[in-house]
Amino acid sequence: MRTAFVKTLCEVAQQDSRIWLLCGDLGYSVLEDFSTNFPERFVNVGVAEQNMTGLAAGLALSGKVVFIYSIVNFPVMRCFEQIRNDVCYHNLNVNIVTVGGGLTYGSLGYTHHGMEDLAVMRVLPNMTVIAPGDPVEARLATKAMIAHNSPCYLRLGKAGEPIVHEKEPVFQIGKAIELCSGEDLTLISTGGMLQLVMQASEKLSSQGYSVQVLSMPTVTPLDEQAILQAAAKTGKIISVEEHGIGGLGSAVAEVLALKEIPVKFRALRLQREAVKVAGSQTVLRSRLGLSLEGIVEVAISL
């Protein structure tokens, strides 16, 4: 996903001189295309993420379209006050892009687990929260953010994620993307869980179930209409995310509760407890129930 983001940003920056990219002492072997081609619009701020956010706000006030890039927890948790007061309060065109969403950097331990970022970002005023499901969605989301002219948060995995979409979908901020139609159950995915959700759908289909799959790349604003239509159509919804409490599952639950929709609902997500085991993303997902088998088991139980 990060490769799709950088490539798209470079393509657009070639035509739009307003685009700047700031990073916090990382991105080596990733950001060189941008830094080489647009050195006057690239700043490595160093390990000073709070200053980076303030610098981004100042550039945005000067008419620039600014992108911040770092590992998920550092430009979010460390900079929450700056994002809230400098960026969101003034509704500035600052785009916070993070890599390592969820358990991507699982081997580096809890300090690098992105488990709370969607919850934190989606409560902020004026903030749009996007978690693409594959490189295709990442590319389309990058273009949409540039045109959005408001604070955005883009949550990426790392590198090597597979392309899930067989053809380019229509991407619109605030809208779900239907990959499969079904009558028995709806699976709603956000972020890097999309491939597993599609695999679960295929396995369930082979067992005779009719499964609808929705990719929800925009967590805020949420596509409430798609959720309500799914509830009316299938009567059973499972949200799937590599994130803890307060993310997609909580957002979907709010919609269903406020509209008083009679539906069976489960949220597959990380729990509140800190993950104290280091390991690969695949291993940690499996330990925490975010596996193909885990999704299928919960689906059949409904």
Side-chain angles (χ1 to χ4, degrees), residues 39-293:
E40 73 285 357
R41 290 186 266 152
F42 174 80
V43 182
N44 184 341
V45 181
V47 186
E49 291 85 358
Q50 292 159 318
N51 292 340
M52 179 170 66
T53 306
L55 177 59
L59 287 166
L61 284 168
S62 302
K64 311 302 181 184
V65 179
V66 190
F67 284 79
I68 293 172
Y69 179 93
S70 190
I71 294 174
V72 61
N73 286 330
F74 306 123
V76 174
M77 305 303 181
R78 186 173 291 173
C79 309
F80 184 76
E81 182 180 4
Q82 286 74 24
I83 294 170
R84 178 181 183 269
N85 296 345
D86 297 350
V87 176
C88 291
Y89 181 64
H90 300 286
N91 196 25
L92 299 180
N93 199 342
V94 172
N95 303 283
I96 302 159
V97 181
T98 65
V99 290
L103 302 166
T104 305
Y105 288 106
S107 61
L108 297 181
Y110 181 65
T111 57
H112 285 63
H113 295 167
M115 302 172 63
E116 307 91 0
D117 53 311
L118 296 180
V120 169
M121 289 291 101
R122 81 179 187 92
V123 300
L124 290 171
N126 297 316
M127 180 63 77
T128 294
V129 179
I130 304 174
D134 76 342
V136 175
E137 291 186 10
R139 173 170 54 83
L140 298 173
T142 302
K143 291 183 177 181
M145 290 165 62
I146 292 170
H148 193 54
N149 197 34
S150 190
C152 288
Y153 175 63
L154 180 66
R155 183 200 218 221
L156 304 175
K158 190 179 179 184
E161 295 95 345
I163 293 176
V164 179
H165 290 280
E166 295 181 357
K167 61 179 181 179
E168 184 173 297
V170 175
F171 186 97
Q172 185 177 345
I173 288 176
K175 294 296 181 181
I177 301 170
E178 185 179 67
L179 283 84
C180 299
S181 180
E183 305 290 337
D184 296 330
L185 168 74
T186 300
L187 295 173
I188 304 179
S189 171
T190 196
M193 296 301 297
L194 185 58
Q195 182 193 28
L196 271 181
V197 167
M198 285 297 293
Q199 291 173 349
S201 169
E202 293 167 4
K203 188 165 185 177
L204 289 164
S205 296
S206 71
Q207 299 180 32
Y209 297 100
S210 175
V211 181
Q212 180 189 31
V213 175
L214 296 178
S215 176
M216 195 71 75
T218 312
V219 179
T220 304
L222 192 66
D223 191 342
E224 296 187 6
Q225 183 179 7
I227 295 168
L228 296 176
Q229 288 176 345
K233 185 178 182 180
T234 69
K236 293 174 283 294
I237 295 176
I238 300 174
S239 64
V240 187
E241 61 190 312
E242 197 169 338
H243 181 274
I245 296 169
L248 175 67
S250 298
V252 172
E254 288 169 13
V255 172
L256 297 174
L258 290 172
K259 298 293 184 179
E260 299 182 352
I261 302 298
V263 61
K264 292 183 178 180
F265 173 66
R266 298 288 186 277
L268 270 180
R269 60 191 177 192
L270 302 173
Q271 299 306 305
R272 192 169 186 173
E273 294 78 15
V275 179
K276 297 183 178 180
V277 178
S280 71
Q281 183 181 29
T282 301
V283 167
L284 293 183
R285 278 181 174 181
S286 181
R287 287 176 64 103
L288 299 170
L290 295 179
S291 62
L292 172 61
E293 294 75 16

